[in-house]
Amino acid sequence: MDTAGCPSWTFRPKNSFIRSCISMNTPILTSWRAPKTELSIRITRWLYTAPVQEQYIEHPRSLWLLWNYLKKVGARSVIQKLRSRFSENKRNQKIFGVGVGLILESPSSSNLVSGNHVLFFAPNHPSDTDILCIHEAFVVAVSLASDQSLPSTENSLGSCELPDLLLQYVGWSPYSGLEIDVENIQKTLLMLEQKCSSALKKENCKSIGNLQITEQINVDTPTKGKPTAVLFGLGNYAKTAIIPNIRSHISLQRVHEIDPDQLAFFGKKPKVSLDTAPHPRIGLTFDAWFIAGFHHTHTDLAIAALRQSAYAVIEKPLATTRLQYEKFSNVMTQLSKARFFLCFHKRYSELHSYAMHDLDSTPGDPVDMHCIVYEIPLPRLHWYNWPNSGSRLVSNGCHWLDYFMYVNGYSNAIDYRVWRPRGSDISVQVRLENGAYLSMSLTDTGSQRLGVRDHIELRKGGVTVKMVDGAYYEAESRTRVLRKKKVNPLNSYAQMYRHIGKSIATGADGDSLESLRSSELTLILEDLIT
């Protein structure tokens, strides 16, 4: 990105990671620009800014909360989680606002070109950057007169209040699937520009020296003879479940994360390449792709990995629509070897091994399952609420649907129904060809003390198995208690990724094609909801 010939400005980075980059004369990561729809804009002045609220899950700093998690998962896991959450402090400070800037890059089809001054509305952007990538719908050209005065402080629109139409998009993301009213947004911005023209000023341009802006930082990471991997998505799950548990068998070479604030997790001198693009770079190949980004992006990334003859390791869900699922299934039928893993951790839990032994169950035997799942209430603008993410059945309920199918050898579903008793609560019933049936309730009504909770009962013959929160286990027969156990619920994630890593290192097959039936069932039920 060319940084010469830009407007006069003052760069005041608040983020220590960015400050350190400047001091070391190393590139500063900026958001990836969608070449067909987005403009890259250098901000000359914010006219109005405000924080985006109700977007992220932010836990209160409580000693009681810390103590509860220490008892549940142990000190090591708590430390990992704290490091992950503290690294998200900057991410949580997203802002929206109206500003004036200069275009650096634009789509080839746009009437707005490099060098144009513009008024923009910036939804959901980092709070300390001077380079923004903004959808062209939120940008209009401005005509600046040299005698106009520029306000010296932000939030200086004065009598020009932010219109209600723009307030509807404060948390908007190009990945959300939320449609935007382009025509009315443009009209609103033009009216705003006319009303607030006194707040605009044309400034002389000058070079900004050695500051480098880039979408990627490339690092030469030694493989140490291990298979290479790329990671897509650096959320809390990737930081606490994937990265710590693949190191023994896999060499992580590159991390793609669309939010530059998240990549600060790797510190001042990252040991892996960092990239804000949502897709792989042309010409780069890896032995495995670990996919843990926005749910609706999983399918296309998995297909790209498979077509590269790489392993696709997919954090749930595989797909969010039937069309995505069918697209993936069609690709799988064309391949000679199954090189995909769906990361449903309950398959790898110690409690599952106990259950299969105590139930005296072999693959295909009918095992009934009853479960209640508590999910924490989501903030209004959380990405799980996006249209592209589907319902809570796809986002989280797929875990328990998969486990039911797994313990029953992926027997075909022959009867199913969904009931919406209240709000987003969901009740599901499924009957399989082997005679087993599932009764599942998903709700966010209840205590948030320990986050997501579940109570599962498996029944076969005269034996009942109870599993609570992935940690407590009890099996009983008609006459006695067969077994009681308590485990660390996070062990199943570690076991899963270590098993997958070892499988990749040895060139073993991935999951069976039959295992896709649980994803198909999830999306069949999703269609009944919508």
Side-chain angles (χ1 to χ4, degrees):
M1 184 181 294
D2 185 13
T3 54
C6 63
S8 174
W9 61 297
T10 302
F11 185 72
R12 296 184 299 275
K14 304 171 187 177
N15 185 290
S16 59
F17 175 66
I18 296 179
R19 283 199 299 268
S20 64
C21 286
I22 294 175
S23 64
M24 295 185 297
N25 195 30
T26 56
I28 297 173
L29 279 170
T30 188
S31 298
W32 175 80
R33 182 182 74 86
K36 294 182 179 180
T37 59
E38 291 184 334
L39 298 94
S40 178
I41 297 173
R42 180 174 297 286
I43 306 165
T44 57
R45 178 71 68 187
W46 282 110
L47 305 178
Y48 177 92
T49 62
V52 178
Q53 298 177 332
E54 297 183 78
Q55 178 167 219
Y56 300 112
I57 298 173
E58 299 182 65
H59 297 287
R61 296 191 177 185
S62 162
L63 289 176
W64 275 115
L65 186 64
L66 184 63
W67 175 244
N68 288 333
Y69 274 98
L70 276 170
K71 291 191 296 181
K72 182 180 179 181
V73 300
R76 182 177 181 180
S77 296
V78 167
I79 291 171
Q80 286 181 339
K81 191 174 185 72
L82 287 174
R83 184 195 171 202
S84 170
R85 291 306 187 191
F86 285 145
S87 73
E88 293 174 344
N89 286 341
K90 197 63 193 174
R91 178 208 66 169
N92 297 342
Q93 297 173 21
K94 293 292 186 291
I95 63 170
F96 68 94
V98 173
V100 184
L102 189 78
I103 296 177
L104 300 179
E105 294 179 287
S106 63
S108 58
S109 60
S110 176
N111 293 326
L112 300 171
V113 297
S114 177
N116 285 172
H117 287 85
V118 291
L119 178 76
F120 61 82
F121 171 70
N124 204 17
H125 278 281
S127 60
D128 64 354
T129 181
D130 286 270
I131 302 290
L132 296 177
C133 292
I134 302 180
H135 193 283
E136 58 188 347
F138 297 111
V139 182
V140 294
V142 294
S143 177
L144 301 176
S146 59
D147 61 346
Q148 291 174 336
S149 61
L150 187 70
S152 59
T153 60
E154 294 178 4
N155 297 343
S156 51
L157 286 178
S159 61
C160 303
E161 295 182 359
L162 208 60
D164 290 340
L165 178 66
L166 296 182
L167 291 175
Q168 296 177 25
Y169 298 98
V170 298
W172 183 83
S173 164
Y175 303 95
S176 65
L178 290 165
E179 294 185 3
I180 51 180
D181 186 348
V182 178
E183 182 178 354
N184 284 322
I185 289 173
Q186 287 281 296
K187 290 179 180 178
T188 300
L189 287 173
L190 288 171
M191 287 191 298
L192 193 63
E193 186 265 340
Q194 293 171 5
K195 290 180 179 179
C196 304
S197 60
S198 62
L200 308 179
K201 174 187 175 184
K202 186 173 182 178
E203 299 202 4
N204 296 323
C205 296
K206 65 180 181 180
S207 171
I208 59 170
N210 296 324
L211 187 62
Q212 300 177 59
I213 305 297
T214 182
E215 297 173 355
Q216 55 181 315
I217 295 176
N218 293 309
V219 176
D220 185 13
T221 304
T223 66
K224 299 181 181 180
K226 300 174 183 177
T228 59
V230 58
L231 168 66
F232 290 89
L234 189 67
N236 181 65
Y237 179 87
K239 288 180 282 188
T240 60
I242 299 178
I243 293 176
N245 293 308
I246 64 173
R247 291 172 177 159
S248 298
H249 302 286
I250 302 294
S251 174
L252 182 61
Q253 297 281 302
R254 193 176 192 87
V255 175
H256 285 254
E257 166 54 51
I258 64 167
D259 188 345
D261 286 340
Q262 285 280 57
L263 292 170
F265 172 79
F266 289 101
K268 300 176 182 179
K269 296 181 179 180
K271 296 181 180 180
V272 298
S273 297
L274 307 179
D275 200 328
T276 58
H279 52 65
R281 298 287 180 175
I282 295 175
L284 296 181
T285 60
F286 304 91
D287 298 309
W289 295 24
F290 287 80
I291 301 167
F294 295 137
H295 293 165
H296 71 284
T297 66
H298 290 183
T299 302
D300 286 343
L301 287 172
I303 290 173
L306 294 170
R307 285 178 171 163
Q308 200 183 84
S309 297
Y311 284 91
V313 184
I314 311 151
E315 191 257 337
K316 61 81 185 168
L318 167 67
T320 57
T321 68
R322 289 289 295 279
L323 184 61
Q324 286 183 339
Y325 172 79
E326 289 166 3
K327 185 178 178 181
F328 182 86
S329 298
N330 290 337
V331 170
M332 289 304 305
T333 59
Q334 302 169 18
L335 301 177
S336 58
K337 188 173 183 179
R339 287 180 172 265
F340 75 94
F341 293 93
L342 293 182
C343 297
F344 290 111
H345 65 280
K346 290 185 179 297
R347 301 179 187 176
Y348 299 85
S349 172
E350 300 165 71
L351 305 189
H352 172 72
S353 299
Y354 299 146
M356 293 302 98
H357 180 273
D358 294 338
L359 291 167
D360 192 24
S361 181
T362 57
D365 286 351
V367 178
D368 297 335
M369 178 169 154
H370 309 264
C371 65
I372 300 172
V373 180
Y374 168 77
E375 301 178 288
I376 59 176
L378 295 173
R380 180 174 57 89
L381 299 179
H382 193 276
W383 68 271
Y384 268 37
N385 291 326
W386 290 350
N388 276 346
S389 297
S391 76
R392 66 170 31 152
L393 192 62
V394 171
S395 296
N396 261 347
C398 58
H399 273 300
W400 292 270
L401 285 168
D402 178 79
Y403 188 58
F404 170 62
M405 296 288 282
Y406 182 62
V407 300
N408 282 284
Y410 298 105
S411 178
N412 285 312
I414 59 174
D415 191 16
Y416 33 80
R417 62 202 68 188
V418 175
W419 179 42
R420 298 291 296 271
R422 181 182 60 212
S424 59
D425 288 2
I426 297 174
S427 179
V428 172
Q429 293 177 316
V430 178
R431 184 162 61 93
L432 302 181
E433 194 172 53
N434 71 350
Y437 75 92
L438 165 74
S439 175
M440 176 174 69
S441 173
L442 301 174
T443 184
D444 60 9
T445 301
S447 167
Q448 299 184 42
R449 186 175 65 90
L450 290 175
V452 176
R453 311 287 297 273
D454 70 343
H455 180 105
I456 297 174
E457 289 191 5
L458 301 177
R459 297 171 181 266
K460 177 177 178 284
V463 177
T464 299
V465 166
K466 299 176 185 177
M467 294 183 283
V468 180
D469 298 341
Y472 302 98
Y473 177 94
E474 180 178 326
E476 58 183 3
S477 68
R478 299 175 190 270
T479 57
R480 63 187 181 90
V481 173
L482 301 175
R483 190 195 313 251
K484 285 186 176 182
K485 288 286 185 178
K486 179 183 177 183
V487 301
N488 186 325
L490 298 185
N491 287 349
S492 57
Y493 294 95
Q495 177 66 21
M496 175 173 66
Y497 280 107
R498 289 168 187 166
H499 168 82
I500 291 172
K502 184 176 181 180
S503 297
I504 293 171
T506 58
D509 287 343
D511 291 345
S512 68
L513 293 179
E514 288 76 15
S515 68
L516 293 176
R517 290 175 183 168
S518 71
S519 296
E520 182 180 27
L521 174 61
T522 300
L523 295 170
I524 289 173
L525 294 168
E526 176 76 355
D527 286 346
L528 295 179
I529 296 174
T530 56

